[in-house]
């Protein structure tokens, strides 16, 4: 294992007689890549989280509960002694009226064994279509944070990967230059030593 010595902060920008132009270019490329990575990640994450939270707030305002009636017996059974369902909710066909009075039918989750004509609460959008229950403000914040975080990581990966690719290209070019200079000046250093 090679000894590297103490870690020196900002070594890429320090003056050094052995530092080449390629070293300075690489230092600025790395700085720009990290800055764009952080900036892209934060901006994309915040914008996406804000958009998601606004969309869910709009859903809470626009979506309304409606009373629907079962059009047929729901699958499953109820306990005859207690009158409660014996399992998780099941899908069944329901009928409801939209705000404009138009009749609609669809599938909703109900208790197993519920009879035809049983009232069920469903959620509808302004057009009267079935939707899920809107997210609460705390659920909306959690979902917005999750989606924003994922969007931020995806957006940050673009400049990060581009910076890594450019750095690899610069490093490959620098190694090629070292090889060329070694081939050019190595033979001029003279003879071999014998031991």
């Amino acid at each position: 294992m090679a000894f590297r010595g103490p870690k020196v902060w900002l070594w890429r920008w320090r003056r050094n007689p052995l530092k080449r132009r390629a070293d300075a270019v690489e230092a600025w490329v790395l700085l720009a890549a990290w800055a764009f990575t952080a900036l892209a990640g934060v901006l994309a994450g915040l914008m996406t989280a804000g958009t998601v939270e606004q969309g869910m707030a709009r859903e809470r305002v626009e979506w309304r509960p409606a009373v629907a009636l079962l059009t047929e017996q729901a699958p499953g059974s109820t306990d005859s002694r207690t009158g409660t369902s014996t399992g998780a909710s099941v899908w069944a066909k329901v009928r409801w009226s939209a705000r404009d009075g138009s009749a609609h039918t669809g599938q909703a989750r109900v208790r197993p064994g519920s009879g035809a004509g049983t009232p069920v609460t469903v959620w509808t959008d302004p057009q009267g279509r079935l939707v899920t229950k809107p997210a609460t403000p705390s659920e909306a914040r959690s979902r917005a944070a999750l989606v924003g975080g994922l969007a931020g990581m995806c957006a940050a990966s673009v400049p990060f990967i581009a910076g890594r690719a450019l750095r690899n290209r610069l490093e490959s070019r620098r190694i090629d230059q070292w090889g060329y200079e070694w081939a050019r000046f190595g033979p001029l250093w003279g003879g071999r030593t014998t031991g």
Side-chain angles (χ1 to χ4, degrees), residues 37-172:
T37 297
L39 186 65
V42 169
L43 287 179
L46 289 176
M47 288 174 48
T48 303
T51 302
V52 168
E53 199 161 0
Q54 286 174 355
M56 290 184 178
R58 187 175 53 252
E59 290 173 357
R60 280 193 301 277
V61 170
E62 294 176 353
W63 294 0
R64 296 281 180 235
V67 176
L69 300 175
L70 282 169
T71 59
E72 57 191 25
Q73 174 81 22
S77 62
T78 57
D79 189 345
S80 59
R81 289 180 281 127
T82 61
T84 60
S85 60
T86 58
S89 60
V90 295
W91 289 100
K93 191 172 183 181
V94 294
R95 179 182 65 245
W96 71 96
S97 295
R99 289 182 218 167
D100 62 1
S102 60
H104 294 274
T105 60
Q107 297 280 323
R109 299 288 269 172
V110 298
R111 287 188 309 214
S114 298
T118 303
V120 178
T121 301
V122 294
W123 287 83
T124 60
D125 66 5
Q127 290 76 33
R129 296 178 298 224
L130 281 179
V131 292
T132 60
K133 183 178 179 179
T136 64
S138 63
E139 290 173 339
R141 279 191 299 276
S142 298
R143 290 180 191 173
L146 178 64
V147 173
L150 291 173
M153 286 191 299
C154 290
S157 68
V158 173
F160 178 77
I161 291 170
R164 293 292 293 185
L166 186 55
R167 181 180 178 210
N168 288 343
R169 175 78 173 126
L170 290 171
E171 191 170 333
S172 173

